[in-house]
Amino acid sequence: MRRNVRWGGRYVSGDDQLEHTLIQSLKTLRRQIFSWQHEWQSVNPSLYLQPFLDVIRSDETGAPITGVALSSIYKILTLDVLDVNTVNVDDAMHLVVDAVTCCRFEVTDPASEEVVLTKILQVLLACMKSKASVMLSNQHVCTIVNTCFRVVHQAGSKGELLQRIARHTMHELVRCIFLHLPDVDNTEQSLVKGGSSVKNENAGLDTDYNFSGKSENGSGASEFDGQLSSGVYNSASSGLIGGMMDESIPRNDNGKDAVPYDLHLMTEPYGVPCMVEIFHFLCSLLNVVEHSGMGLRANSLTFDEDVPLFALGLINSAIELGGPAIRHHPRLLSLIQDELFRNLMQFGLSMSPLILSMVCSIVLNLYQHLRTELKLQLEAFFSCVILRLSQSRFGASYQQQEVAMEALVDFCRQKTFMVEMYANLDCDITCGNVFEELANLLSKSAFPVNCPLSSMHILALDGLIAVIQGMAERIGNGSLGSELTPVNLQEYTPFWMVKCENYGDPEHWVPFVRRRKYIKRRLMIGADHFNRDPKKGLEFLQGTYLLPEKLDPQSVACFFRYTAGLDKNLVGDFLGNHDEFCVQVLNEFAGTFDFQDMNLDTALRLFLETFRLPGESQKIQRVLEAFSGRYYEQSPLILANRDAALLLSYSLIMLNTDQHNVQVKKKMTEEDFIRNNRHINGGNDLPRDFLSELYYSICKNEIRTTPEQGAGFAEMTPSRWIDLMHKSRKTSPYIVSDSRAYLDHDMFAIMSGPTIAAISVVFDHAEYEDVYQTCIDGFLAVAKISACHHLEDVLDDLVVSLCKFTTLLNPSSVEEPVLAFGDDAKARMATVTVFTIANRYGDFIRTGWRNILDCILRLHKLGLLPARVASDAADDSEMSSDPGSHGKPLTNSLSSAHMQSIGTPRRSSGLMGRFSQLLSLDTEEPRSQPTEQQLAAHQRTLQTIQKCHIDSIFTESKFLHADSLLQLARALIWAAGRPQKGSTSPEDEDTAVFCLELLIAITLNNRDRIGLLWQGVYEHIANIVQSTVVACALVEKAVFGLLRICQRLLPYKENLADELLRSLQLVLKLDARVADQYCEQITQEVSRLVKANATHIRSPMGWRTIASLLSITARHPDASESGFEALTFIMADGAHLSPSNFVLCADAARQFAESRVGQTDRSIQSVDLMAGSVSCLVRWAQDAREGTAEAEAAKLCQDIGEMWLRLVQGLRKVCLDQREEVRNHALLSLQMCLTGVDEIHLPLGLWPQCFEMVIFTMLDDLAEIAQGNPQTQKEYRNIEGTLVLALKLLTKVFLHLLNELSQLSSFCKLWRNVIGRMEKYMKLKVKRGEKLLELIPELLKNTLLVMKTKGVLVPTSTLGGDNVWEQTWLHVNKIFPSLQSEVFPNHDSEPLHSNPVLGESASDQTE
């Protein structure tokens, strides 16, 4: 001040009395300041603030002086000299604010003016940031913001720096104020901290503390405009927010501004009231858009994007900081719900991408903090802004589309966003399907149609994948039940009344929401039927319990009111119908509307939007009667009665037609309209301004009586917004979802198809690895969700899609497919992904296995599979079953030596084989060394295949779900192809062999579930075996595979043993040439099978197969040895003989005995095996007698008898062998078998049978041979020796069994036959037959003597053919007449005494 001429001059003159008061007060302060002894807190701040404030207020000071004073105040405020405990701090703060906001100074140059304005902003901000700011009243806070905004407003014509600082300060102020909102109590007059709360009496004082209010005391805008030029800033505190806004910024006058806060409350320490005022003001800044048609272009500040952007930025800050606390303050909340959101909807459609971006940020913040209060507003925003702008077909620019899409993707990254959209909107019959629309939008937007991939496509893909990954992350968090039950309606309940008991508890809301979605879907189907035939549509809904059996008007009205997609013409016709039921429906329909506090034209617009007004006047009359009745009921306002409402409604419809029909040339004027509506209000006139307002509303904005064509997204008109606010009061509460997968199954089912398609198309078009990776992440997430929610068909679709990208299924046109694959990153990534999915989620793959197998087969053909894929898969279990092998690494080749290929040699396969082919130089033409690139590509291919872990698909198949395993097996069978008769190409055969290997591998790995696979595997192998006529690798694999399966599984699957062994009959069906080639190996396998599993084979059926297989080998030069070894294993010492296999083994042994393939010794050993088996029969008979009940024992003995009979019959056949040693040995063995069975206690009746079928038949056959032609004689050397043995056998057996036989009724006949055979043999003409002739009489004599001794042959007097005595001599005398006297020397003298009859007959005979 001293340097200034005005102040300095007085000082120099020495006239102290003239010294200016401002300087005096500063000097005084300087004197006092050093004399204060107290703490600063106890000093009244006004003492040291006042001198500076006086300078600030003075209009005599220039800009530099005012600036210094402001800096001093700023310093005091920032030094924390003032705090809450300072004396009179509240007064001091008020003084500062009042002085600074009324700052006056002389402007000398623009620069110094800007400096002062900057300092004013600085001080005001410091006031708000100081510790003592809590002492400011609501009014002062409003004044600070007001002043700051005026500087912002003024700065438009000043320098750039001031503009920036002013805006920044405004931001900081808003942040500072709203930062306190969370600390405020939940009362309207809440204070920030401390202070007494005053009862809020909204007395509606004249002083309107409303930001958009006009100043009452004239110190407002005129002063603002007029005095700014002289640099005087004045805001009289009485006109607190007076002149806050320029006249040019219109006020939002819709007659329902919030009731202002009373004066008392505004002087309280600041809290919610000032925040409401400030927020209301910020919203009002946005209202300019409503008046943009009213010549505002002249005012650049209000017209361009600047003001809205600035206001939106401030609003965003306020919401960020107020956060969830806003919901506790109804006035703030209602500002956001109505005024703010309405403006956001309009600015959302702004052409400016900056504004759109800001709007989207605000909505995202509102979603984060206040979504539970903004359900319908959010729906409107997505429907009318995001969905509209994201698609070019609605005329949005590329920039708008991009911003809208970015915003949508940000929403999608909120984990619960899509779930909540689905639960709250898609599942609500009164709302649109926002989730579905958004998901479809993302899918479509990710699709590049006839164009290269752009950032927009990638953006949409990001959004899509964010949604999918959100679902995938929720999987681990569990859901309600693991399986959601499908919804079903069993009886009619009014669908519009469905309520949830507790919207906060998933146990309640999840079933409720799913039920609502079901109802909504059914209603949509009903709408479809209705549009085709209204009657059938209603019947369909009755059938699905959505309408009652007997239709009532209310339910039909609600169907019309709440169902989207109905044909509005049909609904209009129905409602206008004169039928009594239709009239009732119409009245109920009108009753569903809420016209509370609505203007008549708004109500009429909403009503006529829901259907098409019919054309006939009577129908119009009925419709309008129903409407006006409802309107009058709810909003009587100035209407006297229903008729007034009806007449006025009619009048509006006519005005609408008049104004908007092109055929009407002479339009109705306002005066005409008012004149037409005279005396309609109960005989009186309606207020003129009321009618004028209606007139202009209709003129400006047509009531559409025809529904909009094309279902595009509706625009948000003022009437729709009013309706939305009404609905939002009644809508069901907003459901907040947590991080569990409650509805993901249903949501994913809706979006999975388009999602897979979109990701696939992007993957197809992409060229960069990061995009590939994004797609792959998406694929894996889709797989995870499909698997966890058991959506097998989705997983199959995904696998099909991915397999296409592996390039493995393409017919190979490239010369070197392996290198091409190594160079194609996309194909390699897709391949790894396919196999990752197969390994991780194989349980849920069904038909997809076919595609996966195609890939595996292609890799196999290229020689890229690890050699161990098939072999490990099979041998894995073999190794683990060996107790000593734990921890042994899996071998890389077939571990079982016996499985080595016997047929065609396989070409080198496996990775190393492939590698060596690449490096080979020994082909016909010299090949150049592979280049670096080729080697690198090859290396990449190998690494990719290793990452795939293809072998584990098969080795781990034991963990697959049954359905999946079955499909895998079917896919293998399908991939192998049907075996062809005749030749197939080597490649096809290779494939078939490989598939068969894998099939056998999974069969062996799943021995516990063999029942599941067996039928298919068996049929496949049977097809191969029966259609093959030449030996080849395939049939070899089939036969030995089958044997291996049996070997491995017999010990585990008793119940399947028969099935398994029956399958071996296939081996018997092999083409003879094929069988011959593999006979030895087959026998070795069967031998192994028998040795390992003899104890597990229990049924005769199983043994029959084994025995057949072994029998066949008896005549095969190579195989017989193994076959005999196996048979010996079973029969030696009866080790594995049992009633179920006795006969079969005996028969097999007989075939070996008869076979001339081996040495004679083997035949003899075979006979020994047969003979030795008798001991088993003896043992079983003893066990039966000792251990079982009598009836069972008898049955068993009978069975044993039959087995024995079959055994001796077998031996009988061997007795006819051409080889002497074998023949004779068989005879001796037969004799042993016939005589060594006393302990069995064979049934008596069996013996005659035995003599007949075995002994006599054998004797006859031998006799025939002995008398055969010379050729036969030649073949059977020394036959006479055999005949001797045979006769001896006859007599020995006969005598051995004499006691038993003699008790038989048929004994006589049997005895006759014995003699008969001897007689026959006597007559035989045999070389060297002397022995025989000597032997027979001797044997006969011996026999007769024994019979005599045993008392069987005694003279008797019985008559008839059964008389032993008579019959004996009758026949014996024929051959040896002298024998009777030798045996019965004393009998001759008196033959007739003892037996006259016999004597007679004897003499007759002699004659």
Side-chain angles (χ1 to χ4, degrees), residues 1367-1389:
Q1367 293 290 330
T1368 305
W1369 302 119
L1370 187 65
H1371 289 88
V1372 170
N1373 291 338
K1374 273 186 192 173
I1375 329 169
F1376 302 115
S1378 60
L1379 260 181
Q1380 184 170 8
S1381 55
E1382 284 177 39
V1383 180
F1384 287 96
N1386 309 329
H1387 198 254
D1388 273 347
S1389 51

Short mmCIF file of all heavy atoms in Angstrom, two decimals, residues 1367-1389:
data_model
loop_
_atom_site.label_atom_id
_atom_site.label_comp_id
_atom_site.label_asym_id
_atom_site.label_seq_id
_atom_site.Cartn_x
_atom_site.Cartn_y
_atom_site.Cartn_z
N GLN A 1367 -29.09 -170.76 -21.19
CA GLN A 1367 -28.54 -169.92 -22.26
C GLN A 1367 -27.03 -170.12 -22.40
O GLN A 1367 -26.48 -170.13 -23.48
CB GLN A 1367 -28.81 -168.42 -21.96
CG GLN A 1367 -30.28 -168.04 -22.01
CD GLN A 1367 -30.84 -168.07 -23.42
OE1 GLN A 1367 -30.10 -167.84 -24.38
NE2 GLN A 1367 -32.10 -168.42 -23.56
N THR A 1368 -26.36 -170.32 -21.24
CA THR A 1368 -24.91 -170.45 -21.28
C THR A 1368 -24.53 -171.65 -22.15
O THR A 1368 -23.79 -171.52 -23.12
CB THR A 1368 -24.35 -170.66 -19.86
OG1 THR A 1368 -24.80 -169.58 -19.05
CG2 THR A 1368 -22.81 -170.69 -19.86
N TRP A 1369 -25.10 -172.75 -21.78
CA TRP A 1369 -24.65 -173.96 -22.51
C TRP A 1369 -25.17 -173.98 -23.93
O TRP A 1369 -24.55 -174.51 -24.83
CB TRP A 1369 -25.04 -175.22 -21.73
CG TRP A 1369 -24.42 -175.15 -20.35
CD1 TRP A 1369 -25.04 -175.14 -19.17
CD2 TRP A 1369 -23.02 -175.08 -20.09
NE1 TRP A 1369 -24.17 -175.05 -18.13
CE2 TRP A 1369 -22.87 -175.01 -18.66
CE3 TRP A 1369 -21.85 -175.07 -20.88
CZ2 TRP A 1369 -21.64 -174.93 -18.03
CZ3 TRP A 1369 -20.64 -175.00 -20.23
CH2 TRP A 1369 -20.54 -174.90 -18.83
N LEU A 1370 -26.26 -173.36 -24.12
CA LEU A 1370 -26.79 -173.27 -25.46
C LEU A 1370 -25.74 -172.67 -26.39
O LEU A 1370 -25.49 -173.14 -27.49
CB LEU A 1370 -28.05 -172.39 -25.45
CG LEU A 1370 -28.83 -172.32 -26.75
CD1 LEU A 1370 -29.43 -173.70 -27.10
CD2 LEU A 1370 -29.97 -171.31 -26.59
N HIS A 1371 -25.09 -171.55 -25.93
CA HIS A 1371 -24.12 -170.85 -26.78
C HIS A 1371 -22.71 -171.43 -26.66
O HIS A 1371 -21.99 -171.52 -27.65
CB HIS A 1371 -24.10 -169.36 -26.42
CG HIS A 1371 -25.34 -168.66 -26.86
ND1 HIS A 1371 -26.48 -168.57 -26.09
CD2 HIS A 1371 -25.64 -168.04 -28.04
CE1 HIS A 1371 -27.41 -167.95 -26.75
NE2 HIS A 1371 -26.93 -167.58 -27.96
N VAL A 1372 -22.33 -171.79 -25.44
CA VAL A 1372 -20.95 -172.27 -25.26
C VAL A 1372 -20.76 -173.56 -26.06
O VAL A 1372 -19.74 -173.75 -26.72
CB VAL A 1372 -20.64 -172.49 -23.77
CG1 VAL A 1372 -19.30 -173.21 -23.59
CG2 VAL A 1372 -20.61 -171.14 -23.06
N ASN A 1373 -21.76 -174.41 -26.00
CA ASN A 1373 -21.59 -175.69 -26.66
C ASN A 1373 -21.41 -175.54 -28.16
O ASN A 1373 -20.88 -176.40 -28.84
CB ASN A 1373 -22.77 -176.63 -26.36
CG ASN A 1373 -22.71 -177.05 -24.89
OD1 ASN A 1373 -21.63 -176.98 -24.28
ND2 ASN A 1373 -23.83 -177.46 -24.32
N LYS A 1374 -21.91 -174.43 -28.67
CA LYS A 1374 -21.73 -174.19 -30.10
C LYS A 1374 -20.25 -174.06 -30.43
O LYS A 1374 -19.80 -174.52 -31.46
CB LYS A 1374 -22.39 -172.86 -30.49
CG LYS A 1374 -23.83 -172.98 -30.82
CD LYS A 1374 -24.28 -171.59 -31.32
CE LYS A 1374 -25.79 -171.51 -31.42
NZ LYS A 1374 -26.20 -170.15 -31.72
N ILE A 1375 -19.52 -173.39 -29.51
CA ILE A 1375 -18.13 -173.14 -29.83
C ILE A 1375 -17.24 -174.26 -29.27
O ILE A 1375 -16.43 -174.85 -29.95
CB ILE A 1375 -17.64 -171.81 -29.21
CG1 ILE A 1375 -18.79 -170.78 -29.11
CG2 ILE A 1375 -16.51 -171.18 -30.05
CD1 ILE A 1375 -18.42 -169.57 -28.28
N PHE A 1376 -17.40 -174.45 -27.99
CA PHE A 1376 -16.55 -175.46 -27.31
C PHE A 1376 -17.45 -176.46 -26.61
O PHE A 1376 -17.76 -176.30 -25.44
CB PHE A 1376 -15.64 -174.79 -26.26
CG PHE A 1376 -14.76 -173.74 -26.87
CD1 PHE A 1376 -14.91 -172.40 -26.51
CD2 PHE A 1376 -13.77 -174.08 -27.80
CE1 PHE A 1376 -14.11 -171.43 -27.05
CE2 PHE A 1376 -12.98 -173.10 -28.34
CZ PHE A 1376 -13.14 -171.77 -27.99
N PRO A 1377 -17.87 -177.50 -27.30
CA PRO A 1377 -18.79 -178.47 -26.69
C PRO A 1377 -18.18 -179.13 -25.46
O PRO A 1377 -18.90 -179.50 -24.54
CB PRO A 1377 -19.02 -179.47 -27.80
CG PRO A 1377 -18.54 -178.81 -29.07
CD PRO A 1377 -17.54 -177.81 -28.69
N SER A 1378 -16.86 -179.20 -25.41
CA SER A 1378 -16.24 -179.95 -24.31
C SER A 1378 -16.16 -179.16 -23.02
O SER A 1378 -15.80 -179.67 -21.98
CB SER A 1378 -14.82 -180.37 -24.72
OG SER A 1378 -14.09 -179.16 -25.00
N LEU A 1379 -16.48 -177.85 -23.10
CA LEU A 1379 -16.21 -177.00 -21.94
C LEU A 1379 -17.09 -177.33 -20.75
O LEU A 1379 -16.68 -177.28 -19.61
CB LEU A 1379 -16.41 -175.52 -22.31
CG LEU A 1379 -15.12 -174.72 -22.61
CD1 LEU A 1379 -15.47 -173.31 -22.93
CD2 LEU A 1379 -14.17 -174.76 -21.41
N GLN A 1380 -18.37 -177.74 -21.04
CA GLN A 1380 -19.30 -177.95 -19.93
C GLN A 1380 -18.77 -179.04 -18.99
O GLN A 1380 -18.79 -178.90 -17.78
CB GLN A 1380 -20.68 -178.34 -20.46
CG GLN A 1380 -21.70 -178.46 -19.35
CD GLN A 1380 -23.14 -178.61 -19.88
OE1 GLN A 1380 -23.33 -178.77 -21.08
NE2 GLN A 1380 -24.11 -178.61 -18.99
N SER A 1381 -18.24 -180.12 -19.62
CA SER A 1381 -17.75 -181.22 -18.79
C SER A 1381 -16.53 -180.82 -18.00
O SER A 1381 -16.31 -181.24 -16.88
CB SER A 1381 -17.45 -182.45 -19.67
OG SER A 1381 -16.54 -182.05 -20.68
N GLU A 1382 -15.75 -179.86 -18.61
CA GLU A 1382 -14.55 -179.42 -17.89
C GLU A 1382 -14.94 -178.59 -16.67
O GLU A 1382 -14.34 -178.69 -15.62
CB GLU A 1382 -13.62 -178.59 -18.80
CG GLU A 1382 -12.82 -179.44 -19.79
CD GLU A 1382 -11.98 -178.55 -20.70
OE1 GLU A 1382 -11.42 -177.54 -20.21
OE2 GLU A 1382 -11.89 -178.83 -21.92
N VAL A 1383 -15.93 -177.76 -16.86
CA VAL A 1383 -16.28 -176.85 -15.76
C VAL A 1383 -17.16 -177.56 -14.73
O VAL A 1383 -16.99 -177.39 -13.54
CB VAL A 1383 -17.02 -175.62 -16.31
CG1 VAL A 1383 -17.39 -174.68 -15.20
CG2 VAL A 1383 -16.14 -174.90 -17.33
N PHE A 1384 -18.08 -178.37 -15.21
CA PHE A 1384 -18.96 -179.09 -14.28
C PHE A 1384 -18.76 -180.59 -14.47
O PHE A 1384 -19.55 -181.27 -15.16
CB PHE A 1384 -20.43 -178.75 -14.56
CG PHE A 1384 -20.81 -177.37 -14.12
CD1 PHE A 1384 -20.81 -176.30 -15.01
CD2 PHE A 1384 -21.19 -177.14 -12.80
CE1 PHE A 1384 -21.15 -175.04 -14.59
CE2 PHE A 1384 -21.54 -175.88 -12.39
CZ PHE A 1384 -21.52 -174.81 -13.27
N PRO A 1385 -17.66 -181.13 -13.97
CA PRO A 1385 -17.38 -182.55 -14.24
C PRO A 1385 -18.47 -183.46 -13.66
O PRO A 1385 -18.79 -184.48 -14.24
CB PRO A 1385 -16.03 -182.77 -13.54
CG PRO A 1385 -15.79 -181.57 -12.68
CD PRO A 1385 -16.67 -180.48 -13.16
N ASN A 1386 -19.11 -183.14 -12.60
CA ASN A 1386 -20.06 -184.05 -11.95
C ASN A 1386 -21.47 -183.92 -12.52
O ASN A 1386 -22.41 -184.49 -12.03
CB ASN A 1386 -20.15 -183.73 -10.44
CG ASN A 1386 -18.77 -183.68 -9.82
OD1 ASN A 1386 -17.88 -184.41 -10.31
ND2 ASN A 1386 -18.58 -182.86 -8.82
N HIS A 1387 -21.64 -183.12 -13.51
CA HIS A 1387 -23.00 -182.77 -13.88
C HIS A 1387 -23.56 -183.64 -14.99
O HIS A 1387 -24.77 -183.75 -15.18
CB HIS A 1387 -23.00 -181.28 -14.32
CG HIS A 1387 -24.37 -180.69 -14.31
ND1 HIS A 1387 -25.08 -180.43 -15.47
CD2 HIS A 1387 -25.20 -180.38 -13.28
CE1 HIS A 1387 -26.26 -179.94 -15.14
NE2 HIS A 1387 -26.36 -179.91 -13.80
N ASP A 1388 -22.60 -184.30 -15.74
CA ASP A 1388 -23.03 -185.03 -16.93
C ASP A 1388 -24.01 -186.16 -16.63
O ASP A 1388 -24.96 -186.38 -17.34
CB ASP A 1388 -21.82 -185.66 -17.63
CG ASP A 1388 -21.22 -184.65 -18.59
OD1 ASP A 1388 -21.94 -183.63 -18.84
OD2 ASP A 1388 -20.09 -184.82 -19.05
N SER A 1389 -23.71 -186.96 -15.52
CA SER A 1389 -24.47 -188.18 -15.23
C SER A 1389 -25.95 -187.91 -15.06
O SER A 1389 -26.78 -188.72 -15.38
CB SER A 1389 -23.92 -188.86 -13.97
OG SER A 1389 -23.87 -187.86 -12.95
#
